[in-house]
Amino acid sequence: MAYLLKRMGLKNMLIQRVHYSVKKHLAKEQKLEFMWRQNWDHEGTTDMFCHMMPFYSYDVPHTCGPDPRICCQFDFKRLPGGRITCPWRVPPVPITVANIAGKAATLLDQYRKKATLYKSNVVLIPLGDDFRYDKAIEWDQQFSNYKRLFEYMNSQKDWNIQAQFGTLSDYFNAIYERTGSKPGDHPTGYPSLSGDFFTYSDRQDHYWSGYYTSRPFHKNFDRLLESHLRAGEIIFTLAVAHARHEGNKAFPFTHLMERLVSARRSLGLFQHHDAITGTAKDFVVVDYGNRLLNALMDMKKVIGVSAHFLLTKDRHTFQYEGGKLFFDLDEKRSSQDALPERTVINIGGKPRPVVFYNSLSQTRTELIRLVISSPHVKITDMTGQVIPSQVDPFWLTNEESAPDMHKVVFVITVPALGLVTYYVEKVQEHSNKKNSHSVITMYNAQTTQSITRGPFHIFRKTAEEFNIENANLKAAFSNSGMLKSLTTKDDGRTTNIDLEFVRYGTRHTKDKSGAYLFLPDGEARPVVFNKPFIRVIKGTILTEVNVFIPYVEHVLRLHNSPGADSTALNIFNIVDIRSEGNTEVAMRLKTDITNQNGEFFTDLNGFQIQRRKTLDKLPLQANFYPMPTMAYIQDDTRRFTVLTAQSLGVAALKPGWLEVMLDRRLNQDDNRGLLQPLKDNRRTPNKFKLLVEKRTKKVEVVSQYTGYPSILSHMLSLQLIHPTNILSKNINSPDVTMLPIFEGLSQDLPCELHLLNLRTMQNKEDSARLKFMPKNTSALLLHRLGFDCGFATRGVKCSTNDGKVSLKTLFKSLDITKAQPSTLSLMHDGTDLDTSPSVQVKPMEINAYKVQIH
């Protein structure tokens, strides 16, 4: 947050929710104001001046000084006769000539006590909270009474006080003035601080580590929309640039731009501190869900229409017919809280084109899965070559599969910011030698009789240990279907990984877990099950294990592809705890990695890595941290990383362990403002990748408080968060001549450069005619990923080049004719750049440019 605000052009910030013990320590040292620096920054360029509020809350009773009973008497909205009162039963009274001397002295005493916690003689007294100043009477009550108090204080010359109304800027400017510093610079005498303040506790052992996982269905939904919005922004910007370059007016500029703007707002709204956190009321969550769903469907349409335009060979013949989409949507959702249903591609004797869109800035080679209507299929690439494919059953229940629905898997290669077409065709049985059918083994089925169902051989056995493998990995499983170990074939080393599911209850005292708080009733207990149904599907391209246990449908997959996706074990869970109460379920991974001193690492907002340390002196709930994209543990020779597609809570409670919270259902409120239990659970999907890496060389540690993913880990994380978009041609769409491929970039960006976004900018809202007409300017945002070069880059084809990129020749068949560096808010621009030389993004930095593409 501090970094983003700094790069947006802000100079100061204020924070409140920090552990009460940390506040106490900083207050004692007069270090509640500091320059907040990024761990990886060794020059201070990211320093942001930060004011930390010192007390329990940010409301009026907790801001004038250390005694809330006194401060509440100066919250004049609580005057007798109003709707809210002071819990300390001493109400405020209007300030009059008769009481002003005593009241002013009492208030000043609180101001002075608060001032002793800071270095300067300027003290900030916020006056309000979330639900204030919505009626005119409060403005009058607060202003008139404080005006009398301030005038009296200022008239007492021996009190040595100047009290006044002001803004945050007024306060910070006064600090700079007294230290002789320029706004934004490091004030003399103030310390620097790096790191973050997780995990927060406001009192006793009440740690706010529950909201990291609350309502994971919507945390997952948020990430889906984020990915689709980014993908839609990029392909729309490219389509607009090509349409304008060619003078094409048939492209639906304003219609798609309106959908983009609406989706931006829906995603932005969901970043509210009670939305993405899972701490809103049930009916508000439904409203959020509907907005997310509408935006997601709109983005699928934006991507489809833009892809149709870019792949049309003669774009002057392109026609947009509103409700008639050239490409089918890849999935359908019956409601905002339903799981998606994959679209079935009906195939016949005529090749049916399916287009794949890669929104990443590096070429990706990976396994893809489609749902088709026949098990007898031929897949051809854009050159007409038949490629290997594998068909699996589409399961309706544990043992029953659909007769007219099947899954086909094959390997695709899609250029950076590109589209590529493959063709799916129904063929006669046994006519395509490059198509294979998986072999299924069922353990603990209803019978032990093996059968043949169509082209599939299904074996039924009693439980036993088994393995699955691909060219890079071998995974071993127990007879209960749980992962035991992962062997990396390049060095033959086996890493023990005992995977289990565990559950927490809530404590039996007055204070219990809720939407915010995690207050467990002790250590987790294993989820108990006996002889679970296990389904193992083995094929030449994909092998997967399905295990059905209480609360979880657990799937593990190994891909056999030449891409990076074959280097990790994929996990897909569907979690359902709707039948339980006061239950929290986690996936625990117990490895033989010997991480020292309880150290593990988690990411901060997918931007950087922060070292964590499990402390035995703290309660269990204090050792959980947010995991937006990844967490890892390591020793001198190996690193074990869990990559996640959705933000959840994580802990490393014992050496070698990583534990990921999956869902939580609580029967009561935890008295932090929601005023309801957390019981609106859904069947919730979550995706992970498990990556074991061998350290190939020792890298000097510059900072003991931070870490860096490997290049491979970065690539896998980006592929997990930004999956390939699938576009199958609607069977009723006209047979127009289409290009087999579209390449957005002239060449791949280096591995360490991630294209955060390429976003068409919007016109001002004050013109009904122009507000949805795309501007000629787009925002280009590049992030240079910091990485640990001590690991191999299996399956990664891109290279590094010190963060350099040529803007002028960035896009294929298009030029960037103008580029201005800008802040991340896009509100403060620099001077125009010469686009001919390469620009360089410094390590870890995010650069923003306003560009014109022609």
Side-chain angles (χ1 to χ4, degrees), residues 362 711 715 749-754 785 796-800:
Q362 292 83 25
I711 282 286
M715 295 298 107
L749 291 186
C751 291
E752 76 272 26
L753 278 186
H754 171 50
L785 307 171
V796 177
K797 307 301 182 185
C798 56
S799 58
T800 61

Side-chain angles (χ1 to χ4, degrees), residues 29 200 278 299 491 581 629 650 678 756 759 787:
E29 302 290 327
Y200 169 57
M299 289 308 94
D491 61 0
T629 65
V650 69
L678 194 67
L756 272 181
R759 171 177 176 168
F787 62 93

Side-chain angles (χ1 to χ4, degrees), residues 593 595 599-603 609-612 627 630-635 638-643 650 652 657-658 691 693 695 706-710 713 788 791:
I593 302 285
N595 55 312
E599 287 189 3
F600 67 110
F601 297 80
T602 68
D603 73 294
I609 299 294
Q610 177 72 40
R611 186 196 69 165
R612 309 296 185 190
M627 179 181 67
M630 70 176 70
Y632 64 80
I633 54 177
Q634 62 186 7
D635 54 28
R638 288 173 297 171
R639 176 182 288 183
F640 173 64
T641 305
V642 177
L643 304 167
V650 69
W657 289 19
L658 280 176
L691 178 64
E693 296 176 283
R695 185 168 286 283
T706 191
Y708 298 94
S710 65
S713 185
D788 188 329
F791 298 94

Side-chain angles (χ1 to χ4, degrees), residues 214-410:
S214 295
R215 291 188 170 119
F217 182 92
H218 290 88
K219 286 177 166 62
N220 176 274
F221 212 154
D222 167 84
R223 196 61 63 83
L224 278 174
L225 177 55
E226 179 186 317
S227 168
H228 277 76
L229 176 58
R230 175 185 169 276
E233 298 272 20
I234 292 171
I235 197 169
F236 173 78
T237 299
L238 292 173
V240 166
H242 279 275
R244 285 175 168 163
H245 179 74
E246 297 163 12
N248 189 304
K249 297 182 179 180
F251 184 75
F253 298 94
T254 58
H255 181 70
L256 298 189
M257 186 71 183
E258 184 174 2
R259 290 174 184 250
L260 277 168
V261 170
S262 177
R264 291 171 184 172
R265 291 173 178 171
S266 294
L267 183 63
L269 182 67
F270 195 69
Q271 305 317 301
H272 184 274
H273 64 239
D274 283 323
I276 186 64
T277 53
T279 55
K281 293 185 182 296
D282 289 352
F283 73 92
V284 180
V285 172
V286 172
D287 182 66
Y288 282 135
N290 286 323
R291 292 172 184 271
L292 294 177
L293 176 59
N294 291 335
L296 180 68
M297 293 299 110
D298 278 349
M299 289 308 94
K300 289 180 180 292
K301 293 171 185 175
V302 168
I303 292 169
V305 173
S306 299
H308 175 203
F309 175 78
L310 291 171
L311 288 176
T312 300
K313 187 171 184 179
D314 183 358
R315 292 175 183 153
H316 291 288
T317 66
F318 171 83
Q319 292 183 338
Y320 174 67
E321 299 184 31
K324 295 182 180 180
L325 297 177
F326 188 82
F327 292 111
D328 287 329
L329 302 182
D330 62 334
E331 64 179 27
K332 299 175 183 176
R333 293 176 184 249
S334 59
S335 66
Q336 58 86 20
D337 58 355
L339 291 177
E341 298 177 17
R342 293 287 298 274
T343 299
V344 180
I345 300 174
N346 292 305
I347 55 175
K350 183 179 179 181
R352 185 153 176 200
V354 180
V355 173
F356 301 100
Y357 165 44
N358 171 23
S359 67
L360 298 180
S361 49
Q362 292 83 25
T363 298
R364 62 201 291 176
T365 297
E366 64 185 10
L367 183 149
I368 203 79
R369 296 194 305 162
L370 305 176
V371 179
I372 58 175
S373 57
S374 171
H376 308 298
V377 66
K378 179 174 70 174
I379 309 293
T380 54
D381 64 17
M382 66 176 188
T383 68
Q385 294 293 314
V386 178
I387 63 172
S389 57
Q390 172 190 323
V391 176
D392 301 336
F394 187 96
W395 300 98
L396 301 174
T397 65
N398 289 1
E399 299 189 46
E400 294 300 317
S401 59
D404 55 353
M405 295 172 63
H406 305 82
K407 300 175 188 175
V408 62
V409 294
F410 51 98

